[in-house]
Amino acid sequence: MTLKIYNTLTRMKEDFKSIEPGKVTMYACGPTVYDYIHIGNSRMVIFFDVVRRYLEYVGYEVSFVVNFTDVDDKLIRKANEMGSSVQELADKYIQAYHEDTKGLRVGKALNPRVTENIPEIVAFVSGLIHKDVAYESGGDVYFRTESFEKYGQISHKNLEDLQHGIRVEVDGRKKSPQDFVLWKKAKSGEINWSSPWGKGRPGWHIECSAMAAKYLGETIDIHGGGEDLQFPHHECEAAQSESLHGKPLAHYWMHNAFLNIENEKMSKSMGNGLTIRQLLKENRGEWLRFVILSTHYRNPLNYNGESLHQAEAGVERLNNSFANLRYRLQTLEQVNAAQETGNLPDLGQNEAAEVKQAVEQALAHFNRSMSEDFNTPDAITAMFDLAAAANRYMQVDKAAADSLKALIAAFEQMDAVLQLLYTEEAESVDEEVDRLIEERQEARRTKNWSRADEIREFLINLGIIVEDTPQGIRWRRK
Ligand SMILES: [Zn+2]
């Protein structure tokens, strides 16, 4: 099935074709690490994680970069306020970013930092000066925007319109108001690096051009980010990269729409203040994923106080169905092992065929939805259809292992992309139960009866039944 992607550049859905067969290079503009990420940031983070996962699902090897902006005005200001260095501040929030996104079930990406790529950035700026599309002025370096004819290609604005809206700045270092900064001269006491133009630091846009080229190549397959980045950030990135390399920066530009906090009161009290960290204290990351993925990424998402509650109900429904399947299979295997026959119980062919068909349909629906410009709401519907088929099947007295396994496998395939099933927790609970049972055995061996009873009580409260069998201790859920 051909993957279709809506390309901001052409404003059309296009068939996706990667530069190198079987491989995808993808870059998404990451956070400025001066604070905890908030709910507004989470849409980009979750959506592009799903894009990466789906590309892998259909067989691509994906190189995915999400940069960290670890030096800019906001970082400098906050570091000064807190009496720490810019690097200490950045380290703290990068660590927090990893913790918080893990809680959102966001997987791997390469996360280069601006401050680790200064030589590449300086070389990039030098290259632009050499091509006469940039100039030094009083220790700053600016890009000559008029030199790039395609400026406006992503945001679909033209230079005259843009010029109209720009206030003429008092600072006379720029030759033209729409020129943008590539290198900023350091103010006294500010963090800085040496360059051919004196001590300073990179402007914002140049970092992405330099890092995309370094880690992914001069032309990449997909460039992503929030729609607020179309202008000026992505225009400037494209102008820089395309001027230096003489080829497109990216073949497909993808932008997710905003997440709006619905009522104003909530927006004020929560808005930027609602960090993922706070949210994860009382909610599961999967619920927020469900909220984000229930709206197509190019539509505005209205978030309100009810969003997470509704998501919780949906996610729980999927998880119950999945957990029941696994439990049913587990008990079936235990029964078979106990009988030592290894034979599966007889089962009507009709039911098996029905399950097979439901699984195939749900997977096809899932794939069709995702390949149609990442239609995640429809993909979630496919997962609910699968859950419904599973629930119907589990009313059968004698479920067959093969059918249960097929349903479980389909759940797992979809979840490799969506990440809504609580598998990790289930595993860690299993590990914890194993550990407690071992501890209880040890307590009994050492005749520490009170500890042994305590653990037994605790496990009963968890709904765990422990049985002594000739083969050793077994446990199961009530
Ligand atoms: Zn960027």
Side-chain angles (χ1 to χ4, degrees):
M1 199 174 300
T2 314
L3 171 61
K4 283 190 165 53
I5 294 182
Y6 180 87
N7 191 350
T8 310
L9 208 55
T10 56
R11 289 184 170 172
M12 284 192 320
K13 268 189 213 168
E14 298 175 15
D15 288 353
F16 178 71
K17 194 167 179 295
S18 62
I19 297 164
E20 216 182 307
K23 290 186 177 174
V24 174
T25 47
M26 178 160 90
Y27 187 100
C29 299
T32 302
V33 287
Y34 73 109
D35 207 342
Y36 295 110
I37 53 165
H38 56 79
I39 186 157
N41 305 125
S42 69
R43 191 169 193 192
M44 172 265 159
V45 173
I46 290 171
F47 173 65
F48 285 100
D49 178 61
V50 165
V51 171
R52 193 262 303 162
R53 287 173 186 278
Y54 183 67
L55 289 166
E56 288 178 350
Y57 175 93
V58 293
Y60 287 106
E61 187 188 308
V62 183
S63 303
F64 182 33
V65 170
V66 179
N67 66 298
F68 287 138
T69 301
D70 64 346
V71 59
D72 85 330
D73 289 341
K74 290 193 281 282
L75 273 137
I76 292 171
R77 201 180 315 128
K78 189 158 178 186
N80 280 341
E81 279 167 20
M82 314 220 2
S84 71
S85 71
V86 167
Q87 190 181 343
E88 281 166 358
L89 186 74
D91 286 348
K92 175 183 169 183
Y93 289 113
I94 284 173
Q95 173 68 26
Y97 174 90
H98 288 306
E99 290 163 8
D100 296 348
T101 55
K102 187 166 179 246
L104 297 177
R105 303 278 299 273
V106 168
K108 63 178 191 290
L110 184 65
N111 301 120
R113 298 168 66 150
V114 176
T115 57
E116 288 167 352
N117 290 280
I118 300 293
E120 287 80 2
I121 292 170
V122 168
F124 207 110
V125 175
S126 297
L128 291 171
I129 293 178
H130 187 71
K131 293 216 160 192
D132 200 29
V133 296
Y135 57 90
E136 189 268 341
S137 175
D140 289 347
V141 179
Y142 294 96
F143 186 87
R144 203 190 304 279
T145 303
E146 273 172 345
S147 73
F148 188 65
E149 276 182 10
K150 289 196 282 180
Y151 197 78
Q153 60 181 335
I154 298 159
S155 54
H156 303 273
K157 295 174 193 272
N158 66 48
L159 200 55
E160 283 89 72
D161 289 350
L162 294 174
Q163 248 165 329
H164 210 68
I166 293 174
R167 272 182 300 140
V168 178
E169 289 176 27
V170 194
D171 182 351
R173 289 182 196 166
K174 284 186 195 182
K175 289 185 181 165
S176 179
Q178 74 274 13
D179 291 353
F180 57 89
V181 72
L182 301 173
W183 186 263
K184 282 182 176 177
K185 183 184 173 171
K187 296 189 187 113
S188 98
E190 224 174 55
I191 183 169
N192 66 74
W193 289 266
S194 295
S195 81
W197 322 286
K199 290 186 184 305
R201 60 186 163 92
W204 174 32
H205 316 305
I206 194 71
E207 64 180 73
C208 292
S209 287
M211 288 190 275
K214 176 178 173 182
Y215 295 100
L216 300 172
E218 292 181 353
T219 299
I220 62 174
D221 289 305
I222 299 173
H223 194 312
E227 68 178 5
D228 52 325
L229 296 184
Q230 285 178 16
F231 179 83
H233 185 56
H234 288 166
E235 293 293 356
C236 296
E237 274 187 42
Q240 296 160 161
S241 295
E242 296 179 16
S243 293
L244 186 69
H245 301 130
K247 52 180 92 159
L249 166 54
H251 285 167
Y252 303 86
W253 287 83
M254 294 179 68
H255 294 96
N256 62 275
F258 284 123
L259 181 149
N260 305 310
I261 309 275
E262 223 168 40
N263 81 54
E264 208 182 322
K265 204 171 147 202
M266 192 169 153
S267 164
K268 276 208 182 113
S269 63
M270 296 167 76
N272 287 345
L274 182 62
T275 63
I276 296 304
R277 183 152 292 226
Q278 285 168 319
L279 188 138
L280 288 177
K281 280 186 186 149
E282 288 174 9
N283 303 280
R284 298 200 52 130
E286 290 85 355
W287 305 345
L288 184 60
R289 274 185 94 90
F290 188 94
V291 172
I292 301 285
L293 300 175
S294 292
T295 298
H296 189 266
Y297 77 96
R298 287 191 288 114
N299 294 332
L301 193 161
N302 294 316
Y303 181 92
N304 62 45
E306 284 305 302
S307 302
L308 279 175
H309 294 298
Q310 286 159 3
E312 177 182 358
V315 175
E316 292 286 328
R317 202 140 54 91
L318 295 170
N319 275 281
N320 286 338
S321 179
F322 183 64
N324 287 337
L325 279 172
R326 296 214 305 177
Y327 178 67
R328 193 77 184 257
L329 183 63
Q330 202 183 359
T331 47
L332 187 64
E333 281 168 349
Q334 279 170 3
V335 169
N336 287 340
Q339 289 172 344
E340 287 177 7
T341 60
N343 293 331
L344 301 171
D346 271 348
L347 179 93
Q349 293 294 314
N350 289 346
E351 284 145 345
E354 221 172 87
V355 167
K356 189 165 176 282
Q357 197 190 15
V359 164
E360 279 167 7
Q361 272 175 2
L363 283 172
H365 182 193
F366 176 82
N367 205 17
R368 202 165 54 238
S369 309
M370 289 301 293
S371 64
E372 189 59 37
D373 193 30
F374 305 98
N375 190 338
T376 52
D378 272 7
I380 290 175
T381 304
M383 205 169 185
F384 276 117
D385 289 347
L386 183 70
N391 295 347
R392 260 195 321 274
Y393 183 59
M394 280 183 288
Q395 288 170 6
V396 173
D397 283 342
K398 289 181 174 178
D402 282 352
S403 293
L404 293 170
K405 281 179 186 166
L407 287 159
I408 290 170
F411 260 113
E412 285 171 343
Q413 279 185 58
M414 293 181 189
D415 203 55
V417 178
L418 300 175
Q419 297 282 287
L420 298 172
L421 300 177
Y422 307 153
T423 47
E424 273 171 60
E425 189 196 59
E427 275 158 25
S428 71
V429 168
D430 286 1
E431 276 169 28
E432 179 64 7
V433 169
D434 287 341
R435 194 191 63 73
L436 283 168
I437 286 173
E438 229 168 83
E439 194 190 333
R440 178 167 165 263
Q441 289 294 92
E442 183 57 27
R444 285 169 62 165
R445 263 196 297 278
T446 57
K447 300 194 165 43
N448 183 353
W449 305 117
S450 67
R451 179 60 185 157
D453 285 346
E454 199 177 283
I455 293 171
R456 188 172 155 274
E457 280 297 307
F458 183 78
L459 291 172
I460 287 170
N461 285 336
L462 275 182
I464 305 287
I465 298 166
V466 182
E467 292 159 321
D468 284 295
T469 73
Q471 290 79 32
I473 302 283
R474 276 233 176 86
W475 64 269
R476 60 184 172 85
R477 292 196 166 82
K478 236 188 282 188

